[in-house]
Amino acid sequence: MTTAMKEQMDSASVQNPGTRETMLSLRNCSLSFGNVPVLDKVSLDVYRNEFISILGPSGCGKSTTLRLMLRLLSPEAGGEVAYSSPDLSLGMVFQKPVLMPWLSALQNVMLPLELGEKKFSKGEARDKAESALRLVGLQDYLNHFPHQLSGGMQQRAAIARALAADPTVLLMDEPFGALDELTREKLNFELLRLWESPETSLSSIVMVTHSIHESALLSDRVVMMSPRPAGVTDIIPVALPSPREAGMEELPEFHRTVKELRKRVKHL
Amino acid sequence: MTAMTARIKDSLYPVTFALGFLLLWELAVRLLSVPMYLLPAPTQVVSAIDGSLWSHTLVTLGESLTGFILANILGLATAVIFVHSKPIEKGMFPLAIALKTTPLVALAPLLVVWMGTGYTSKVIASMLICFFPILVNSVKGLKAIEYEAWELFSTYKGTKSEIFWKLRLPTSLPYIFSALKISTSLAIVGAIVGEFVGANKGLGYVVLVSSYHMDTPVMFSAIIASALCGLLLFWCIGLLEKKVIFWTRSEDL
């Protein structure tokens, strides 16, 4: 099959008869590591302008699902990972910041812009990196090295690195899992602000999380995954108004969602 | 300023102890009238030092440094090949271990037979002894990249050479430097072993000849000179390490 044909199929197969435009979808994706089945027929559509959380027990394959979306891993025969367009731009934020300790914050954010086929000149990459760091509030730390930044600031730099390449879909693997509660809460709202900001081209966010609270507060839909081999057991819409704001944890709808999620987690 | 005075204060302790030790040594030799051929007093060692010691030191330092540099270039290059080719690594690593387990002292006469009593046999001896630490450490360092970092590079379509230059090599630097530090003293050992077997200059030659003549003060001066060579190399590498790997605070020594 030629690449052109494949691309055509990719985009054709994502066309959604409903009202919402699909950015990325997993169809029937199964995956094993050696003899250990990890994912069992996972299907999931990510729509334009939505925030999805993936919730499930530890080690169930949530991170693996993200890696399928990134096409770092391929599903077994019968499965398919489809993008809305062949040049759909994805960004990834890992649980650890994964900053290069020998590069400054600015150089770290510039790094992905200078890999592979060079799309940007040095100057352009620098401008993009600087504005991404400004977005996450690190404009005064451009020349600091990772060991001179706090854990929260490091993770912000990692988010800036993902944003600098102008992703349409941002994938996040427990991005705030290693941070303290206070920093975590702050970054949650910063993330929402970035997502809504017209300065980013961000359309959809998929976030893997352990926190019921976090998933209810941030997302439009919560995807529940079962233990290994993991499949999507439920997709629960969150009926909180958007944009989300601090204090929405007080709303009865928030409590209803948390209660519902908790009940389903128990059933897994 | 305060950091400076603190550093001076810190170095005051070892200096005081060293001076005290030398004083005790001097007194013990003089009071107990220890014969000079058994244990010369520090002052006798100092008075045995002449211009020839300096030129012998330079010879040994030159041999060790050449061997050290060549071994590290060759070792790093071999490590890069190992990391990129599993079959070559599997095939050649046992050979490297065999080379490592062969005592250099046993090989040195062979080297002299092959390459003569000149400069080359010592450089090769030095190389042989320095090769293994850099090989093992750079293989380990080049493989020590975080999986997520590799994923990051793959996500943004980083090429193999970009992964090497921008990820593997910088990641391996702390490992490489710890090998370099180990090798500094080994390099001197290699050169001196080579000189023991057949040479007409160098500190190893001086130690050997002075032992034939029971000229213990000269022997002491050569031993101390060789120790100082090792220290000098170690110190230079340590200084370089601090400049290059600024992101980890390396423990002193």
Side-chain angles (χ1 to χ4, degrees), chain A residues 2-33:
Chain A
T2 65
T3 342
M5 275 170 73
K6 177 124 182 53
E7 282 165 3
Q8 210 173 21
M9 272 191 62
D10 274 359
S11 45
S13 57
V14 183
Q15 234 121 77
N16 183 25
T19 48
R20 307 198 65 181
E21 184 189 346
T22 311
M23 304 303 294
L24 181 161
S25 64
L26 301 180
R27 297 253 168 74
N28 261 324
C29 290
S30 301
L31 190 68
S32 308
F33 291 142

PDB file of all heavy atoms in Angstrom, chain A residues 2-33:
ATOM      1  N   THR A   2       0.575   2.205  -0.865  1.00  0.00           N
ATOM      2  CA  THR A   2       1.377   3.433  -0.888  1.00  0.00           C
ATOM      3  C   THR A   2       1.030   4.288   0.323  1.00  0.00           C
ATOM      4  O   THR A   2      -0.029   4.131   0.931  1.00  0.00           O
ATOM      5  CB  THR A   2       1.095   4.271  -2.149  1.00  0.00           C
ATOM      6  OG1 THR A   2      -0.258   4.701  -2.077  1.00  0.00           O
ATOM      7  CG2 THR A   2       1.307   3.478  -3.408  1.00  0.00           C
ATOM      8  N   THR A   3       1.935   5.187   0.649  1.00  0.00           N
ATOM      9  CA  THR A   3       1.714   6.040   1.804  1.00  0.00           C
ATOM     10  C   THR A   3       0.487   6.914   1.585  1.00  0.00           C
ATOM     11  O   THR A   3      -0.323   7.124   2.484  1.00  0.00           O
ATOM     12  CB  THR A   3       2.929   6.955   2.047  1.00  0.00           C
ATOM     13  OG1 THR A   3       4.034   6.410   1.364  1.00  0.00           O
ATOM     14  CG2 THR A   3       3.216   7.081   3.510  1.00  0.00           C
ATOM     15  N   ALA A   4       0.365   7.416   0.356  1.00  0.00           N
ATOM     16  CA  ALA A   4      -0.762   8.302   0.058  1.00  0.00           C
ATOM     17  C   ALA A   4      -2.090   7.587   0.305  1.00  0.00           C
ATOM     18  O   ALA A   4      -2.996   8.128   0.947  1.00  0.00           O
ATOM     19  CB  ALA A   4      -0.680   8.785  -1.382  1.00  0.00           C
ATOM     20  N   MET A   5      -2.157   6.336  -0.168  1.00  0.00           N
ATOM     21  CA  MET A   5      -3.389   5.568   0.025  1.00  0.00           C
ATOM     22  C   MET A   5      -3.659   5.350   1.501  1.00  0.00           C
ATOM     23  O   MET A   5      -4.781   5.464   1.980  1.00  0.00           O
ATOM     24  CB  MET A   5      -3.277   4.205  -0.663  1.00  0.00           C
ATOM     25  CG  MET A   5      -3.650   4.234  -2.130  1.00  0.00           C
ATOM     26  SD  MET A   5      -3.196   2.672  -2.895  1.00  0.00           S
ATOM     27  CE  MET A   5      -4.447   1.594  -2.196  1.00  0.00           C
ATOM     28  N   LYS A   6      -2.573   5.050   2.211  1.00  0.00           N
ATOM     29  CA  LYS A   6      -2.705   4.768   3.639  1.00  0.00           C
ATOM     30  C   LYS A   6      -3.227   5.993   4.370  1.00  0.00           C
ATOM     31  O   LYS A   6      -4.124   5.918   5.191  1.00  0.00           O
ATOM     32  CB  LYS A   6      -1.347   4.329   4.185  1.00  0.00           C
ATOM     33  CG  LYS A   6      -1.301   4.079   5.657  1.00  0.00           C
ATOM     34  CD  LYS A   6      -0.808   2.661   5.933  1.00  0.00           C
ATOM     35  CE  LYS A   6      -0.784   2.316   7.393  1.00  0.00           C
ATOM     36  NZ  LYS A   6      -2.025   2.531   8.103  1.00  0.00           N
ATOM     37  N   GLU A   7      -2.655   7.158   3.962  1.00  0.00           N
ATOM     38  CA  GLU A   7      -3.076   8.398   4.606  1.00  0.00           C
ATOM     39  C   GLU A   7      -4.552   8.661   4.340  1.00  0.00           C
ATOM     40  O   GLU A   7      -5.299   9.066   5.221  1.00  0.00           O
ATOM     41  CB  GLU A   7      -2.227   9.568   4.089  1.00  0.00           C
ATOM     42  CG  GLU A   7      -0.852   9.586   4.741  1.00  0.00           C
ATOM     43  CD  GLU A   7       0.124  10.477   4.017  1.00  0.00           C
ATOM     44  OE1 GLU A   7      -0.287  11.137   3.031  1.00  0.00           O
ATOM     45  OE2 GLU A   7       1.284  10.506   4.429  1.00  0.00           O
ATOM     46  N   GLN A   8      -4.923   8.400   3.099  1.00  0.00           N
ATOM     47  CA  GLN A   8      -6.308   8.625   2.732  1.00  0.00           C
ATOM     48  C   GLN A   8      -7.227   7.744   3.594  1.00  0.00           C
ATOM     49  O   GLN A   8      -8.236   8.205   4.119  1.00  0.00           O
ATOM     50  CB  GLN A   8      -6.486   8.268   1.263  1.00  0.00           C
ATOM     51  CG  GLN A   8      -7.567   9.081   0.594  1.00  0.00           C
ATOM     52  CD  GLN A   8      -7.577   8.788  -0.896  1.00  0.00           C
ATOM     53  OE1 GLN A   8      -7.082   7.747  -1.337  1.00  0.00           O
ATOM     54  NE2 GLN A   8      -8.134   9.700  -1.660  1.00  0.00           N
ATOM     55  N   MET A   9      -6.815   6.502   3.733  1.00  0.00           N
ATOM     56  CA  MET A   9      -7.610   5.580   4.535  1.00  0.00           C
ATOM     57  C   MET A   9      -7.690   6.056   5.977  1.00  0.00           C
ATOM     58  O   MET A   9      -8.733   6.026   6.600  1.00  0.00           O
ATOM     59  CB  MET A   9      -6.995   4.181   4.513  1.00  0.00           C
ATOM     60  CG  MET A   9      -7.486   3.342   3.359  1.00  0.00           C
ATOM     61  SD  MET A   9      -6.980   1.643   3.577  1.00  0.00           S
ATOM     62  CE  MET A   9      -7.807   1.214   5.100  1.00  0.00           C
ATOM     63  N   ASP A  10      -6.521   6.527   6.469  1.00  0.00           N
ATOM     64  CA  ASP A  10      -6.470   7.009   7.850  1.00  0.00           C
ATOM     65  C   ASP A  10      -7.491   8.104   8.079  1.00  0.00           C
ATOM     66  O   ASP A  10      -8.269   8.069   9.018  1.00  0.00           O
ATOM     67  CB  ASP A  10      -5.074   7.568   8.172  1.00  0.00           C
ATOM     68  CG  ASP A  10      -4.150   6.460   8.625  1.00  0.00           C
ATOM     69  OD1 ASP A  10      -4.649   5.316   8.693  1.00  0.00           O
ATOM     70  OD2 ASP A  10      -2.979   6.723   8.892  1.00  0.00           O
ATOM     71  N   SER A  11      -7.484   9.081   7.162  1.00  0.00           N
ATOM     72  CA  SER A  11      -8.373  10.202   7.400  1.00  0.00           C
ATOM     73  C   SER A  11      -9.819   9.805   7.122  1.00  0.00           C
ATOM     74  O   SER A  11     -10.729  10.255   7.800  1.00  0.00           O
ATOM     75  CB  SER A  11      -7.960  11.403   6.562  1.00  0.00           C
ATOM     76  OG  SER A  11      -7.679  10.994   5.253  1.00  0.00           O
ATOM     77  N   ALA A  12      -9.999   8.936   6.134  1.00  0.00           N
ATOM     78  CA  ALA A  12     -11.363   8.524   5.820  1.00  0.00           C
ATOM     79  C   ALA A  12     -11.971   7.749   6.981  1.00  0.00           C
ATOM     80  O   ALA A  12     -13.126   7.938   7.336  1.00  0.00           O
ATOM     81  CB  ALA A  12     -11.369   7.659   4.572  1.00  0.00           C
ATOM     82  N   SER A  13     -11.136   6.913   7.585  1.00  0.00           N
ATOM     83  CA  SER A  13     -11.684   6.022   8.595  1.00  0.00           C
ATOM     84  C   SER A  13     -12.069   6.764   9.865  1.00  0.00           C
ATOM     85  O   SER A  13     -12.721   6.214  10.727  1.00  0.00           O
ATOM     86  CB  SER A  13     -10.657   4.937   8.927  1.00  0.00           C
ATOM     87  OG  SER A  13      -9.476   5.571   9.342  1.00  0.00           O
ATOM     88  N   VAL A  14     -11.641   8.019   9.993  1.00  0.00           N
ATOM     89  CA  VAL A  14     -11.932   8.730  11.221  1.00  0.00           C
ATOM     90  C   VAL A  14     -13.217   9.542  11.098  1.00  0.00           C
ATOM     91  O   VAL A  14     -13.754  10.018  12.080  1.00  0.00           O
ATOM     92  CB  VAL A  14     -10.733   9.641  11.606  1.00  0.00           C
ATOM     93  CG1 VAL A  14     -10.978  10.343  12.908  1.00  0.00           C
ATOM     94  CG2 VAL A  14      -9.479   8.795  11.721  1.00  0.00           C
ATOM     95  N   GLN A  15     -13.687   9.684   9.857  1.00  0.00           N
ATOM     96  CA  GLN A  15     -14.887  10.494   9.689  1.00  0.00           C
ATOM     97  C   GLN A  15     -16.016  10.006  10.592  1.00  0.00           C
ATOM     98  O   GLN A  15     -16.356   8.827  10.625  1.00  0.00           O
ATOM     99  CB  GLN A  15     -15.347  10.463   8.242  1.00  0.00           C
ATOM    100  CG  GLN A  15     -15.487  11.864   7.726  1.00  0.00           C
ATOM    101  CD  GLN A  15     -14.593  12.087   6.547  1.00  0.00           C
ATOM    102  OE1 GLN A  15     -14.916  11.637   5.476  1.00  0.00           O
ATOM    103  NE2 GLN A  15     -13.480  12.786   6.743  1.00  0.00           N
ATOM    104  N   ASN A  16     -16.543  10.949  11.326  1.00  0.00           N
ATOM    105  CA  ASN A  16     -17.503  10.599  12.349  1.00  0.00           C
ATOM    106  C   ASN A  16     -18.887  11.037  11.900  1.00  0.00           C
ATOM    107  O   ASN A  16     -19.101  12.197  11.572  1.00  0.00           O
ATOM    108  CB  ASN A  16     -17.088  11.314  13.643  1.00  0.00           C
ATOM    109  CG  ASN A  16     -17.983  10.945  14.796  1.00  0.00           C
ATOM    110  OD1 ASN A  16     -18.566   9.872  14.775  1.00  0.00           O
ATOM    111  ND2 ASN A  16     -18.078  11.830  15.759  1.00  0.00           N
ATOM    112  N   PRO A  17     -19.828  10.137  11.864  1.00  0.00           N
ATOM    113  CA  PRO A  17     -21.165  10.515  11.417  1.00  0.00           C
ATOM    114  C   PRO A  17     -21.846  11.490  12.391  1.00  0.00           C
ATOM    115  O   PRO A  17     -22.732  12.239  12.000  1.00  0.00           O
ATOM    116  CB  PRO A  17     -21.911   9.177  11.363  1.00  0.00           C
ATOM    117  CG  PRO A  17     -21.148   8.254  12.244  1.00  0.00           C
ATOM    118  CD  PRO A  17     -19.737   8.725  12.223  1.00  0.00           C
ATOM    119  N   GLY A  18     -21.402  11.489  13.630  1.00  0.00           N
ATOM    120  CA  GLY A  18     -22.019  12.360  14.633  1.00  0.00           C
ATOM    121  C   GLY A  18     -21.624  13.803  14.430  1.00  0.00           C
ATOM    122  O   GLY A  18     -21.027  14.171  13.421  1.00  0.00           O
ATOM    123  N   THR A  19     -21.942  14.614  15.376  1.00  0.00           N
ATOM    124  CA  THR A  19     -21.675  16.032  15.245  1.00  0.00           C
ATOM    125  C   THR A  19     -20.234  16.373  15.596  1.00  0.00           C
ATOM    126  O   THR A  19     -19.732  17.383  15.166  1.00  0.00           O
ATOM    127  CB  THR A  19     -22.600  16.839  16.168  1.00  0.00           C
ATOM    128  OG1 THR A  19     -22.544  16.233  17.461  1.00  0.00           O
ATOM    129  CG2 THR A  19     -24.018  16.841  15.650  1.00  0.00           C
ATOM    130  N   ARG A  20     -19.610  15.521  16.380  1.00  0.00           N
ATOM    131  CA  ARG A  20     -18.281  15.882  16.866  1.00  0.00           C
ATOM    132  C   ARG A  20     -17.195  15.324  15.964  1.00  0.00           C
ATOM    133  O   ARG A  20     -17.278  14.207  15.473  1.00  0.00           O
ATOM    134  CB  ARG A  20     -18.087  15.341  18.283  1.00  0.00           C
ATOM    135  CG  ARG A  20     -19.218  15.770  19.196  1.00  0.00           C
ATOM    136  CD  ARG A  20     -18.840  15.624  20.624  1.00  0.00           C
ATOM    137  NE  ARG A  20     -17.762  16.530  20.985  1.00  0.00           N
ATOM    138  CZ  ARG A  20     -17.239  16.572  22.193  1.00  0.00           C
ATOM    139  NH1 ARG A  20     -17.656  15.734  23.130  1.00  0.00           N
ATOM    140  NH2 ARG A  20     -16.292  17.423  22.483  1.00  0.00           N
ATOM    141  N   GLU A  21     -16.168  16.118  15.791  1.00  0.00           N
ATOM    142  CA  GLU A  21     -15.064  15.721  14.920  1.00  0.00           C
ATOM    143  C   GLU A  21     -14.061  14.902  15.731  1.00  0.00           C
ATOM    144  O   GLU A  21     -13.638  15.306  16.815  1.00  0.00           O
ATOM    145  CB  GLU A  21     -14.394  16.982  14.370  1.00  0.00           C
ATOM    146  CG  GLU A  21     -13.313  16.691  13.386  1.00  0.00           C
ATOM    147  CD  GLU A  21     -12.531  17.960  13.048  1.00  0.00           C
ATOM    148  OE1 GLU A  21     -13.021  19.066  13.384  1.00  0.00           O
ATOM    149  OE2 GLU A  21     -11.452  17.841  12.477  1.00  0.00           O
ATOM    150  N   THR A  22     -13.688  13.751  15.199  1.00  0.00           N
ATOM    151  CA  THR A  22     -12.736  12.905  15.900  1.00  0.00           C
ATOM    152  C   THR A  22     -11.315  13.294  15.514  1.00  0.00           C
ATOM    153  O   THR A  22     -11.025  13.470  14.334  1.00  0.00           O
ATOM    154  CB  THR A  22     -12.952  11.426  15.518  1.00  0.00           C
ATOM    155  OG1 THR A  22     -14.340  11.157  15.657  1.00  0.00           O
ATOM    156  CG2 THR A  22     -12.166  10.513  16.413  1.00  0.00           C
ATOM    157  N   MET A  23     -10.444  13.446  16.520  1.00  0.00           N
ATOM    158  CA  MET A  23      -9.057  13.792  16.246  1.00  0.00           C
ATOM    159  C   MET A  23      -8.209  12.545  16.077  1.00  0.00           C
ATOM    160  O   MET A  23      -7.285  12.508  15.286  1.00  0.00           O
ATOM    161  CB  MET A  23      -8.464  14.619  17.394  1.00  0.00           C
ATOM    162  CG  MET A  23      -9.229  15.872  17.730  1.00  0.00           C
ATOM    163  SD  MET A  23      -9.398  16.947  16.299  1.00  0.00           S
ATOM    164  CE  MET A  23      -7.686  17.402  16.044  1.00  0.00           C
ATOM    165  N   LEU A  24      -8.544  11.545  16.882  1.00  0.00           N
ATOM    166  CA  LEU A  24      -7.666  10.384  16.980  1.00  0.00           C
ATOM    167  C   LEU A  24      -8.519   9.250  17.485  1.00  0.00           C
ATOM    168  O   LEU A  24      -9.395   9.470  18.325  1.00  0.00           O
ATOM    169  CB  LEU A  24      -6.599  10.762  18.002  1.00  0.00           C
ATOM    170  CG  LEU A  24      -5.452   9.848  18.406  1.00  0.00           C
ATOM    171  CD1 LEU A  24      -4.392  10.707  19.042  1.00  0.00           C
ATOM    172  CD2 LEU A  24      -5.885   8.793  19.379  1.00  0.00           C
ATOM    173  N   SER A  25      -8.338   8.068  16.930  1.00  0.00           N
ATOM    174  CA  SER A  25      -9.114   6.992  17.530  1.00  0.00           C
ATOM    175  C   SER A  25      -8.365   5.670  17.546  1.00  0.00           C
ATOM    176  O   SER A  25      -7.548   5.375  16.677  1.00  0.00           O
ATOM    177  CB  SER A  25     -10.471   6.847  16.835  1.00  0.00           C
ATOM    178  OG  SER A  25     -10.285   6.478  15.506  1.00  0.00           O
ATOM    179  N   LEU A  26      -8.633   4.919  18.595  1.00  0.00           N
ATOM    180  CA  LEU A  26      -8.114   3.570  18.740  1.00  0.00           C
ATOM    181  C   LEU A  26      -9.264   2.627  18.428  1.00  0.00           C
ATOM    182  O   LEU A  26     -10.368   2.824  18.920  1.00  0.00           O
ATOM    183  CB  LEU A  26      -7.638   3.308  20.176  1.00  0.00           C
ATOM    184  CG  LEU A  26      -6.541   4.195  20.750  1.00  0.00           C
ATOM    185  CD1 LEU A  26      -6.219   3.755  22.177  1.00  0.00           C
ATOM    186  CD2 LEU A  26      -5.290   4.136  19.895  1.00  0.00           C
ATOM    187  N   ARG A  27      -8.991   1.617  17.593  1.00  0.00           N
ATOM    188  CA  ARG A  27     -10.037   0.648  17.275  1.00  0.00           C
ATOM    189  C   ARG A  27      -9.513  -0.733  17.581  1.00  0.00           C
ATOM    190  O   ARG A  27      -8.519  -1.148  16.989  1.00  0.00           O
ATOM    191  CB  ARG A  27     -10.351   0.667  15.783  1.00  0.00           C
ATOM    192  CG  ARG A  27     -10.877   1.946  15.303  1.00  0.00           C
ATOM    193  CD  ARG A  27     -12.334   1.956  14.977  1.00  0.00           C
ATOM    194  NE  ARG A  27     -12.643   3.361  14.829  1.00  0.00           N
ATOM    195  CZ  ARG A  27     -12.262   4.063  13.759  1.00  0.00           C
ATOM    196  NH1 ARG A  27     -11.690   3.463  12.750  1.00  0.00           N
ATOM    197  NH2 ARG A  27     -12.495   5.336  13.701  1.00  0.00           N
ATOM    198  N   ASN A  28     -10.179  -1.396  18.510  1.00  0.00           N
ATOM    199  CA  ASN A  28      -9.889  -2.813  18.723  1.00  0.00           C
ATOM    200  C   ASN A  28      -8.417  -3.099  18.980  1.00  0.00           C
ATOM    201  O   ASN A  28      -7.887  -4.081  18.492  1.00  0.00           O
ATOM    202  CB  ASN A  28     -10.280  -3.600  17.473  1.00  0.00           C
ATOM    203  CG  ASN A  28     -11.634  -4.237  17.682  1.00  0.00           C
ATOM    204  OD1 ASN A  28     -11.939  -4.668  18.795  1.00  0.00           O
ATOM    205  ND2 ASN A  28     -12.428  -4.274  16.637  1.00  0.00           N
ATOM    206  N   CYS A  29      -7.782  -2.217  19.723  1.00  0.00           N
ATOM    207  CA  CYS A  29      -6.341  -2.373  19.904  1.00  0.00           C
ATOM    208  C   CYS A  29      -6.033  -3.361  21.018  1.00  0.00           C
ATOM    209  O   CYS A  29      -6.400  -3.145  22.171  1.00  0.00           O
ATOM    210  CB  CYS A  29      -5.696  -1.040  20.222  1.00  0.00           C
ATOM    211  SG  CYS A  29      -5.688   0.051  18.806  1.00  0.00           S
ATOM    212  N   SER A  30      -5.353  -4.453  20.664  1.00  0.00           N
ATOM    213  CA  SER A  30      -4.861  -5.406  21.666  1.00  0.00           C
ATOM    214  C   SER A  30      -3.347  -5.391  21.602  1.00  0.00           C
ATOM    215  O   SER A  30      -2.762  -5.101  20.563  1.00  0.00           O
ATOM    216  CB  SER A  30      -5.367  -6.814  21.370  1.00  0.00           C
ATOM    217  OG  SER A  30      -6.776  -6.815  21.370  1.00  0.00           O
ATOM    218  N   LEU A  31      -2.745  -5.695  22.733  1.00  0.00           N
ATOM    219  CA  LEU A  31      -1.286  -5.669  22.774  1.00  0.00           C
ATOM    220  C   LEU A  31      -0.804  -6.580  23.892  1.00  0.00           C
ATOM    221  O   LEU A  31      -1.399  -6.630  24.965  1.00  0.00           O
ATOM    222  CB  LEU A  31      -0.809  -4.238  23.038  1.00  0.00           C
ATOM    223  CG  LEU A  31       0.679  -3.977  22.874  1.00  0.00           C
ATOM    224  CD1 LEU A  31       1.081  -4.101  21.418  1.00  0.00           C
ATOM    225  CD2 LEU A  31       1.028  -2.586  23.380  1.00  0.00           C
ATOM    226  N   SER A  32       0.257  -7.354  23.604  1.00  0.00           N
ATOM    227  CA  SER A  32       0.866  -8.175  24.646  1.00  0.00           C
ATOM    228  C   SER A  32       2.340  -7.850  24.719  1.00  0.00           C
ATOM    229  O   SER A  32       2.959  -7.535  23.710  1.00  0.00           O
ATOM    230  CB  SER A  32       0.718  -9.661  24.311  1.00  0.00           C
ATOM    231  OG  SER A  32      -0.623  -9.970  24.034  1.00  0.00           O
ATOM    232  N   PHE A  33       2.887  -7.925  25.922  1.00  0.00           N
ATOM    233  CA  PHE A  33       4.333  -7.859  26.069  1.00  0.00           C
ATOM    234  C   PHE A  33       4.797  -9.286  26.311  1.00  0.00           C
ATOM    235  O   PHE A  33       4.596  -9.827  27.391  1.00  0.00           O
ATOM    236  CB  PHE A  33       4.734  -6.961  27.233  1.00  0.00           C
ATOM    237  CG  PHE A  33       4.446  -5.500  26.986  1.00  0.00           C
ATOM    238  CD1 PHE A  33       3.984  -4.679  28.004  1.00  0.00           C
ATOM    239  CD2 PHE A  33       4.655  -4.943  25.721  1.00  0.00           C
ATOM    240  CE1 PHE A  33       3.724  -3.332  27.769  1.00  0.00           C
ATOM    241  CE2 PHE A  33       4.401  -3.604  25.483  1.00  0.00           C
ATOM    242  CZ  PHE A  33       3.933  -2.795  26.512  1.00  0.00           C
TER     243      PHE A  33
END
